[in-house]
Each structure stands twice: as structure tokens, then as C-alpha cells.
Amino acid sequence: MAESTIDTIDQHPLAGWDKPDLDLSGADWRSSSKGLGDVQIAFVEGFIAMRNSGSPESPSLIFTPAEWGAFVLGAREGEFDLT
């Protein structure tokens, strides 16, 4: 008999979109500046975590390496520019 989805989730906690529930308590957060609202990233267990340094207790976004690469490429190409 096949396992139910609920059983699988209980055995392997997810933070959404099939991402692992990473322990970020000892993460080495890196930042490009020191301003409030600054974005910080950390490389943890093969994933990339992103958070707001002004609210470090808020949930972090978790990216796979492929997702992170697509984000960085889009930023470099101006995909997120306001003008």
C-alpha cells in the first residue's frame, strides 16, 4: 500500500515547495551593506537562504541552486529594475 502524502510530510518536514526545514540557527549570514532592510544570504546544506536583516526572526526564503542561479541571472539582466 502506498504511503499517504501526510505521512511523508510528517517524516520529512517541509517549509513549502518541497524545500527542507533547514536549521538556520548557526548559518553564516552574508550581506553586501549594513543598511536596515538589507537582504542577507546564507549557504546551508546545499541550499541558499535569504532573509531581511532588519527582521532576522522572520521566515527566510529557501532557494535551490538552480532557483538562485535564475534569480541572480535575472537581476544581472535587469529583470527586477523599476525603470
Side-chain angles (χ1 to χ4, degrees), residues 37-59:
D38 186 28
V39 172
Q40 296 178 315
I41 62 168
F43 299 91
V44 180
E45 298 178 30
F47 291 88
I48 298 87
M50 179 189 291
R51 73 178 185 183
N52 179 336
S53 67
S55 287
E57 69 285 348
S58 294

Side-chain angles (χ1 to χ4, degrees), residues 54-83:
S55 287
E57 69 285 348
S58 294
S60 297
L61 299 174
I62 306 298
F63 297 93
T64 65
E67 291 168 333
W68 183 253
F71 170 74
V72 170
L73 183 61
R76 285 182 181 157
E77 292 179 349
E79 182 177 342
F80 310 111
D81 292 353
L82 296 176
T83 58

